[in-house]
Amino acid sequence: MSKLVAKGAEASLYLEDYYGHPVIRKHRRPKPYRLPQIDAKLRTDRTIREARLLASARHAGVATPIVYQIDVENATIIMEYIEGQRVKELIPELTKTKRQSLFKEIGKAVALLHQHEVTHGDLTTSNMIQSSPKVIYFIDFGLAGITQNIEDFGTDLHLLRRALLSTHYPHWEDCYSAFKEGYRTTFGKRTTDVFRKVDAIESRGRYITERIR
Amino acid sequence: MVILGIECTAHTLGIGIVNSEGKVLADSKAVYTPKEGGIHPREAAENHQKAAITVLQAAINEANITLDQLRGVAFSQGPGLPPALRVGAVIARSLAKSLNIPLLGINHCVAHIEQARFFCQAKIPLVIYLSGGNTQITTLAAHRYRIFGETLDIALGNMLDMFARAANLAHPGGPKVEQLAKQAENGYHPLPYTVKGMDLAFSGLLTAAKQLLKKGTALEDVCYSLQETAFSMIAEVTERALAHTQREEIILTGGVAANSRLKEMLQIVANEQSAHFASVPVKYAGDNGAMIAYNGLLLLNSGNKTSLNESGIQSKWRLDQVDIHWES
């Protein structure tokens, strides 16, 4: 049994059976637009990175799929199948209160990652799956990293803020303020440094006037 | 109905005229080229000031109209270099006042995008806007261009220009880098590839490319490696944004849209995702007055104009702050 369940920009996801367990086989497809040298390096690096950091995130206490098997040569990872709903589709369906409690949980989870020196690198609502009201799985760690640098934590928050602004513009302020609240309760004292870094990153961009913070 | 548009944000003073169907009747320009180094804002402004009458006259002649046929004057209100913006604004205000016709303040970025959308006959495309000042991946939703990806430091065109200057190539550097890349013999040298979600960064890539040059790597090879790396980054975020937004069309605009290797890559991305790809005609890839005129037409047709009080320049006017009245 192998069923293509999603074809993302970077990878194809197949739902398969693995010794009696439903699993996802994630294959990073070769990209014909880029040179084979660039392509091979990116696909290999990201496959290894994703497998490693899915595990690191789990150690940090953040829900991620368990990695069962990795095939570097074919840029393929076999991992646990997570049942639930993507946060992207969930947001418009929720009440304001529910949305805010969801984003508070997301804030806590991202803070946990950062406390354990893990950055996600692509924090969009497509990469979060709610499996039960309090449990949010994080997926897609291909751009993740290990770091102690506040700048990298700030970048994670900036990316989430951008994703909310562009995709969830009617609700972005509710979501982002709840996220910040959750983040602060877990990350503690250095939170202010991270938030200040987000402002610094955004002010470096082109043509910034009075952007809403 | 004919509308005149004045583009004056950076190097180019452009004056264009369009009719009520958006057809370009005139597209006249004067381009300031710095003797050395990058653009000097005051010198650019002085240049535009001197060229203004000639460019205006040329546009009127080309369109074969008289001034009293104009039904609106559009100008680039921002974003851009303040001294240059002021020159354009002054010309526009004078014309509007003396002819007693509506003044139309236009966002330069929106104008590039709307012109590309017009020429590509695209409906609601994913827009890849790459120029000397901007690198943005955006699409229209609920009356605004929502930005999905953007550079975190310098623009792609700016990076190419800065590299070209370091390599002693004349301005504008992009076309020369493209030409040299085609003559590369020894292939690809690895360079830093920086993608963060749908955002990008180019300064590390620029530094590394300059270092390759210093080490004595053939200029052609560095140009090739630089282009391949930078454009792969663009293609990757394009593909990601396309999957994320579920758009069915991609359009490319801005000065870097003249690059054929970039277009080739984006065409492949489009094919992979079963989307349609089109690029603004090379003639209109760079800054031009016709795009301002066309956007002025859209603004006027949607029942809007800019009062004298609101006509101050907005040098940091962001794309996502503009209400797109003419689209749902």
Side-chain angles (χ1 to χ4, degrees):
Chain A
M1 167 196 107
S2 178
K3 185 182 156 211
L4 180 68
V5 285
K7 192 182 169 204
E10 205 185 358
S12 300
L13 306 183
Y14 301 88
L15 181 60
E16 293 181 356
D17 179 83
Y18 188 79
Y19 302 104
H21 299 281
V23 293
I24 288 290
R25 182 162 61 86
K26 174 170 180 172
H27 173 232
R28 289 192 151 77
R29 300 184 306 271
K31 294 291 166 191
Y33 61 78
R34 61 193 174 204
L35 295 177
Q37 299 98 299
I38 300 181
D39 189 61
K41 185 167 185 317
L42 286 175
R43 289 166 59 231
T44 313
D45 282 1
R46 288 177 183 175
T47 302
I48 296 172
R49 189 175 283 266
E50 171 153 37
R52 272 194 192 141
L53 288 161
L54 277 169
S56 306
R58 225 181 148 73
H59 285 302
V62 173
T64 59
I66 298 168
V67 175
Y68 294 128
Q69 196 174 309
I70 161 169
D71 178 352
V72 175
E73 213 166 296
N74 296 308
T76 301
I77 299 176
I78 293 177
M79 64 182 107
E80 183 187 1
Y81 171 65
I82 306 298
E83 218 162 319
Q85 203 179 2
R86 284 203 306 179
V87 170
K88 187 184 176 192
E89 281 88 35
L90 202 58
I91 289 179
E93 297 173 8
L94 295 178
T95 61
K96 185 176 171 181
T97 322
K98 286 211 170 132
R99 223 170 14 240
Q100 288 194 307
S101 70
L102 170 66
F103 269 83
K104 210 171 156 185
E105 292 303 316
I106 292 172
K108 286 182 195 167
V110 173
L112 265 183
L113 286 180
H114 289 180
Q115 264 181 341
H116 291 79
E117 303 177 355
V118 175
T119 55
H120 183 277
D122 190 14
L123 274 184
T124 66
T125 50
S126 307
N127 291 335
M128 303 166 189
I129 301 170
Q130 190 187 47
S131 67
S132 69
K134 282 249 161 189
V135 182
I136 297 123
Y137 274 83
F138 285 73
I139 56 166
D140 224 341
F141 279 70
L143 299 175
I146 292 282
T147 180
Q148 299 182 346
N149 196 344
I150 292 276
E151 167 97 20
D152 296 321
F153 301 151
T155 305
D156 256 359
L157 266 57
H158 159 71
L159 293 178
L160 178 67
R161 185 179 173 279
R162 168 177 310 298
L164 291 172
L165 257 173
S166 58
T167 310
H168 305 289
Y169 42 86
H171 310 297
W172 86 270
E173 275 175 309
D174 298 349
C175 295
Y176 194 62
S177 62
F179 171 88
K180 279 169 66 173
E181 198 187 320
Y183 188 91
R184 190 183 284 280
T185 57
T186 304
F187 201 68
K189 261 206 312 211
R190 288 189 305 151
T191 303
T192 312
D193 296 342
V194 178
F195 289 174
R196 219 176 272 149
K197 207 67 186 181
V198 178
D199 292 348
I201 290 165
E202 284 169 2
S203 67
R204 259 178 248 152
R206 303 289 301 186
Y207 308 129
I208 309 298
T209 38
E210 342 110 57
R211 296 181 74 168
I212 319 127
R213 303 262 175 239
Chain B
M1 182 163 80
V2 283
I3 306 284
L4 180 136
I6 302 163
E7 156 61 33
C8 197
T9 57
H11 292 90
T12 305
L13 168 69
I15 298 186
I17 297 171
V18 300
N19 70 7
S20 54
E21 274 90 54
K23 185 172 183 272
V24 180
L25 305 180
D27 181 36
S28 170
K29 62 179 76 174
V31 180
Y32 153 79
T33 315
K35 283 188 196 77
E36 52 169 4
I39 185 165
H40 187 303
R42 186 186 30 118
E43 277 181 19
E46 282 168 6
N47 228 64
H48 296 334
Q49 226 158 3
K50 281 181 202 146
I53 300 294
T54 323
V55 178
L56 178 62
Q57 199 58 60
I60 297 288
N61 292 347
E62 190 187 337
N64 199 18
I65 59 159
T66 53
L67 280 177
D68 58 4
Q69 285 174 264
L70 293 177
R71 290 295 169 267
V73 176
F75 71 106
S76 53
Q77 198 170 0
L81 303 170
L85 289 173
R86 275 183 212 110
V87 174
V90 165
I91 306 169
R93 288 187 204 111
S94 328
L95 278 173
K97 194 85 185 138
S98 63
L99 298 169
N100 196 23
I101 51 175
L103 184 63
L104 304 154
I106 301 299
N107 179 292
H108 172 89
C109 307
V110 174
H112 266 297
I113 294 171
E114 290 298 341
Q115 188 184 39
R117 207 150 71 96
F118 174 75
F119 280 116
C120 299
Q121 296 183 346
K123 289 189 186 81
I124 307 292
L126 180 73
V127 181
I128 318 299
Y129 171 29
L130 308 171
S131 67
N134 292 281
T135 299
Q136 288 170 328
I137 318 291
T138 179
T139 191
L140 196 61
H143 300 288
R144 290 270 172 112
Y145 279 102
R146 314 277 165 183
I147 299 170
F148 285 81
E150 190 172 16
T151 178
L152 288 163
D153 46 35
I154 53 176
L156 173 60
N158 191 220
M159 188 275 283
L160 291 170
D161 281 344
M162 281 158 83
F163 173 77
R165 279 209 294 279
N168 290 318
L169 302 171
H171 183 89
K176 298 201 177 63
V177 171
E178 180 179 11
Q179 226 171 9
L180 286 165
K182 283 184 189 147
Q183 296 154 21
E185 278 172 2
N186 303 310
Y188 180 74
H189 295 262
L191 286 169
Y193 183 104
T194 320
V195 165
K196 301 180 182 191
M198 284 180 254
D199 278 0
L200 310 139
F202 294 106
S203 55
L205 174 58
L206 173 63
T207 309
K210 287 203 273 193
Q211 276 163 353
L212 267 187
L213 266 190
K214 265 194 200 144
K215 273 192 271 174
T217 314
L219 177 59
E220 292 83 353
D221 292 346
V222 185
C223 289
Y224 174 70
S225 308
L226 182 68
Q227 275 204 160
E228 290 299 320
T229 309
F231 296 169
S232 295
M233 287 161 55
I234 297 284
E236 185 185 341
V237 295
T238 301
E239 191 166 20
R240 195 165 292 156
L242 198 65
H244 189 79
T245 59
Q246 303 279 305
R247 294 287 187 253
E248 285 161 357
E249 302 165 289
I250 308 173
I251 63 169
L252 174 65
T253 188
V256 192
N259 190 298
S260 48
R261 174 60 178 142
L262 176 68
K263 281 187 269 197
E264 184 187 4
M265 278 197 197
L266 291 179
Q267 181 64 61
I268 301 173
V269 169
N271 295 348
E272 287 272 291
Q273 296 283 328
S274 320
H276 181 260
F277 170 72
S279 176
V280 72
V282 173
K283 185 170 181 245
Y284 297 111
D287 294 351
N288 63 86
M291 70 184 193
I292 304 293
Y294 174 65
N295 202 160
L297 176 73
L298 294 177
L299 193 67
L300 191 65
N301 280 347
S302 63
N304 293 277
K305 56 183 180 180
T306 308
S307 72
L308 211 52
N309 293 338
E310 305 161 333
S311 71
I313 60 161
Q314 298 190 48
S315 67
K316 294 185 171 181
W317 197 7
R318 265 180 79 79
L319 169 66
D320 56 5
Q321 293 171 333
V322 185
D323 285 317
I324 307 300
H325 303 287
W326 51 89
E327 284 291 344
S328 51

